[in-house]
Amino acid sequence: MSKRVLTTESGAPVADNQNSASAGVGGPLLLQDQHLLEKLARFNRERIPERVVHARGSGAYGHFEVTDDVTGYTHADFLDTVGKRTEVFLRFSTVADSLGGADAVRDPRGFAVKFYTREGNYDLVGNNTPVFFIKDPIKFPDFIHSQKRDPFTGRQEPDNVWDFWAHAPEATHQVTWLMGDRGIPASYRHMNGYGSHTYQWTNAEGEAFFVKYHFKTDQGIRCLTSEQAAEQAGQDPTSHQTDLLQAIERGVHPSWTLYVQIMPAAEAADYRFNPFDLTKVWPHRDYPLRRVGRLVLNRNPDNVFAEVEQAAFSPNNFVPGIGPSPDKMLQGRLFAYADAHRYRLGVNHTLLAVNAPRATTAQNYGRDGFMAVNGQGRHAKNYEPNSYDGPVETGRPLSAPLAVTGWTGTHEAPQHTKDDDFVQAGELYRLMSAEEKSRLIANIAGGLSQVSRNDVIEKNLAHFHAADPEYGRRVEEAVRALRED
C-alpha cells in the first residue's frame, strides 16, 4: 500500500522534509525554499493569546439525558421530554494560573458546559463552588490582577492576594470554601459543578422562575491536602488532564446528576437576602434540590488545541425558556466572555467545529472578518429585513422580561433584611468537622502569615472574627504562631 504524499499547504508535493535548500553543500540557506519558510512562519503563529482566566483547561464530549419532568418551569426544548439526550462538550479549568500551570493547585475550577440543542447552543458557565469572591463585575479586573503574577516580581504575591481580600469582606464565604477541604479536587471527575449564578427559567405559560444549577458528581467527592497536591503537581503537572483522558479511554465514563433550586420570581424581592448575590447560596431548606437529568462524558477530543483551547463559552448563549437574572456578576459576564473570544479567536470563532451548533444551523447576517468561511452566507443578502427570503425574527423572546425602575447611576445592591457578608461563611465553618476546621485554619494561616503588612493581616482577621468568633480566634492564633517562628 503506497503512502500518502506530504504536501505544502497549497497542495504541492514535498521532495525533502529533512534538509533545507542551500547554496551548495554547507552554504547559506535560500529564500526560495518555500517549504522551509512556510513551516517556520506557521510555527511562529501556532499559538493564540491564552485566556486571561481559566487558561489551563481540559475537556470532553458526552451527552445530557433528561430524567425528570421540569416542563412546569421551563419550555427549553432540550429539557422538554424525559429520556431526551443532547450532545454536550464540557471544559474544566483552573482559574488564576497560566496555560502552563499545574492542575493540582488550590484554586477554583471552571465547569463550563455547552449543550448542542435543537434551538441553538446553550452555554452554562460555572465553577466547582456555588459562590464567588465578589458580587459586582467592576471589581473583577482588580480581583484577577491581585491573584495573578505581580508586574514587578513576576510571581503570585501573598501581599496582593490577601490585601484584595482584606478590602473585599464579601469574599470571606468563598475564601472559606477555597481554603477548606474541597479547595483542591483530586481530579475533575471527583468534584461537583455549579452554575453559581442565578438564572431565569420561563415555562410555556410565561411564568418566570429563578434557578441555581448543581451538578453532583456520581463518582463521589475526592480532594487533596496541600501536601498531597504539592507532590502531585511536581510529579505530573497535568494530573487532572491525564486522569480525565485515561478514564474515558479505558471506558470509565464520568457522570454528574443535575439538580436545580427553583424560586418563583415573585419571591425574589422579599427574600431575606439578595438572591442574585453571587457570594451567597440559597439554603436547601428554603429551596430544595430538584433532579433534572444526568450528564455523561464518553469521548475525548481528537485535538486539544482545536477543541479545548479554541472552545468558546459565553453565558449570553441562551435558548428559548432560559435567560439571565439581575445577578450583577452574570450581567458583566454576558459581555465579557463573548468579547474575550472575539479577541482571542476572531469574530468568526462560532464557525469552529467545537463552537458551531450541531443539532441546528446558525442563520444570520454575519459576514466577512478574519477566518471567514468560503460560502458563509453564499450569495444571500447581508441585511435584514429584505425581500429575498432571508432569515427573519420570531417575535418570541427567549425568556420573561425583567422589571426595572429607578434612576440611572451607580448603585449598591438593594438591601434585603438579612444581607450580610459573613453569616454564610460562619455557617459553612460550623458545618465542618473538627478535622476539617483544623485543616481550614492551617491553610488560611499558611498564606496569611506570609503577608508583610500587619494592617492587611488585621483586616482579614476581622472578617473571620465576624463570620464566627471561634473561627477568627483560631486563625489569629495560628497566624501569630507562624509569624513568631
Side-chain angles (χ1 to χ4, degrees):
M1 182 177 178
S2 61
K3 294 183 178 180
R4 291 180 296 155
V5 173
L6 176 67
T7 74
T8 64
E9 293 183 28
S10 61
V14 173
D16 191 340
N17 194 42
Q18 310 304 315
N19 302 286
S20 301
S22 61
V25 177
L29 303 186
L30 299 176
L31 189 63
Q32 70 183 39
D33 189 343
Q34 185 263 352
H35 182 49
L36 169 65
L37 300 188
E38 181 178 84
K39 286 185 72 174
L40 293 180
R42 182 176 187 86
F43 180 76
N44 285 342
R45 294 162 175 80
E46 282 183 354
R47 293 295 171 261
I48 58 177
E50 69 174 46
R51 290 168 169 86
V52 177
V53 289
H54 298 278
R56 170 72 193 148
S58 304
Y61 293 95
H63 65 263
F64 177 79
E65 181 174 353
V66 179
T67 58
D68 295 77
D69 182 11
V70 291
T71 54
Y73 306 104
T74 177
H75 64 90
D77 174 82
F78 76 103
L79 298 175
D80 69 358
T81 306
V82 172
K84 177 178 280 191
R85 285 190 175 186
T86 299
E87 185 180 3
V88 302
F89 181 77
L90 198 160
R91 184 179 188 270
F92 306 97
S93 56
T94 53
V95 176
D97 213 341
S98 62
L99 186 58
D103 288 339
V105 293
R106 190 173 295 279
D107 196 18
R109 300 297 191 275
F111 193 98
V113 187
K114 186 180 294 291
F115 298 84
Y116 299 102
T117 89
R118 295 190 299 187
E119 293 186 306
N121 291 352
Y122 172 46
D123 290 352
L124 181 56
V125 186
N127 286 323
N128 72 324
T129 60
V131 294
F132 196 59
F133 298 93
I134 54 175
K135 62 182 75 173
D136 193 303
I138 203 167
K139 300 176 72 170
F140 188 76
D142 300 293
F143 166 61
I144 295 301
H145 287 166
S146 75
Q147 308 298 298
K148 294 184 78 71
R149 297 179 181 182
D150 182 88
F152 173 65
T153 67
R155 71 186 192 107
Q156 190 181 52
E157 292 290 349
D159 277 358
N160 301 357
V161 171
W162 288 94
D163 186 39
F164 183 89
W165 289 343
H167 291 88
E170 71 267 31
T172 308
H173 192 188
Q174 173 72 320
V175 170
T176 305
W177 270 89
L178 180 62
M179 297 299 174
D181 280 0
R182 295 193 181 187
I184 313 178
S187 80
Y188 290 132
R189 297 182 296 126
H190 295 92
M191 69 181 196
N192 292 340
Y194 301 89
S196 301
H197 295 288
T198 301
Y199 295 90
Q200 185 205 77
W201 275 7
T202 310
N203 65 18
E205 288 71 43
E207 294 178 285
F209 304 85
F210 292 119
V211 302
K212 282 185 176 288
Y213 294 89
H214 301 249
F215 289 88
K216 300 288 189 178
T217 174
D218 296 327
Q219 291 70 236
I221 296 289
R222 283 183 52 208
C223 301
L224 302 174
T225 65
S226 297
E227 295 75 20
Q228 291 170 330
E231 181 179 356
Q232 184 166 297
Q235 291 177 343
D236 179 9
T238 61
S239 57
H240 289 29
Q241 162 72 14
T242 301
D243 175 84
L244 181 66
L245 173 74
Q246 293 181 350
I248 294 175
E249 286 299 293
R250 66 177 184 267
V252 178
H253 299 154
S255 65
W256 289 259
T257 300
L258 173 61
Y259 299 86
V260 293
Q261 291 177 282
I262 301 175
M263 174 189 291
E267 296 180 11
D270 296 323
Y271 192 53
R272 63 180 181 276
F273 60 82
N274 181 1
F276 311 116
D277 181 346
L278 184 56
T279 68
K280 294 181 174 62
V281 298
W282 298 353
H284 291 184
R285 63 180 177 272
D286 293 347
Y287 298 100
L289 295 179
R290 297 171 180 263
R291 193 177 66 174
V292 179
R294 185 166 178 258
L295 185 152
V296 179
L297 299 181
N298 54 24
R299 180 167 67 86
N300 284 309
D302 293 321
N303 184 287
V304 172
F305 177 82
E307 298 167 271
V308 179
E309 182 65 12
Q310 293 194 128
F313 298 84
S314 172
N316 212 11
N317 288 343
F318 292 114
V319 292
I322 304 177
S325 79
D327 180 334
K328 285 188 174 183
M329 283 296 295
L330 173 60
Q331 292 284 324
R333 295 175 84 196
L334 298 181
F335 162 76
Y337 271 60
D339 188 59
H341 301 311
R342 294 185 190 104
Y343 160 68
R344 295 180 61 248
L345 304 170
V347 70
N348 287 304
H349 68 272
T350 55
L351 302 179
L352 296 170
V354 69
N355 300 321
R358 299 193 172 200
T360 186
T361 301
Q363 301 184 83
N364 54 58
Y365 295 92
R367 300 287 191 276
D368 308 333
F370 288 114
M371 301 300 292
V373 175
N374 183 33
Q376 183 181 354
R378 299 188 181 279
H379 58 268
K381 305 302 180 184
N382 64 343
Y383 59 88
E384 196 276 337
N386 64 57
S387 304
Y388 297 87
D389 298 322
V392 297
E393 64 193 31
T394 66
R396 299 189 300 272
L398 301 186
S399 57
L402 298 172
V404 295
T405 185
W407 300 93
T408 60
T410 57
H411 304 282
E412 294 185 2
Q415 289 297 302
H416 293 236
T417 57
K418 298 293 184 181
D419 272 333
D420 184 281
D421 290 327
F422 307 110
V423 167
Q424 292 198 354
E427 291 174 341
L428 178 58
Y429 174 79
R430 290 185 290 276
L431 283 174
M432 296 179 180
S433 67
E435 293 78 13
E436 289 174 325
K437 289 178 180 178
S438 294
R439 289 189 290 267
L440 170 68
I441 300 304
N443 291 333
I444 293 174
L448 189 54
S449 63
Q450 299 178 53
V451 173
S452 61
R453 290 182 48 159
N454 289 331
D455 62 323
V456 173
I457 293 175
E458 292 300 323
K459 288 175 183 174
N460 279 284
L461 290 175
H463 297 167
F464 301 121
H465 280 291
D468 182 274
E470 177 194 289
Y471 189 8
R473 175 183 57 78
R474 293 185 64 183
V475 172
E476 184 171 4
E477 290 173 351
V479 169
R480 183 185 307 115
L482 287 173
R483 288 174 68 83
E484 289 174 351
D485 283 348

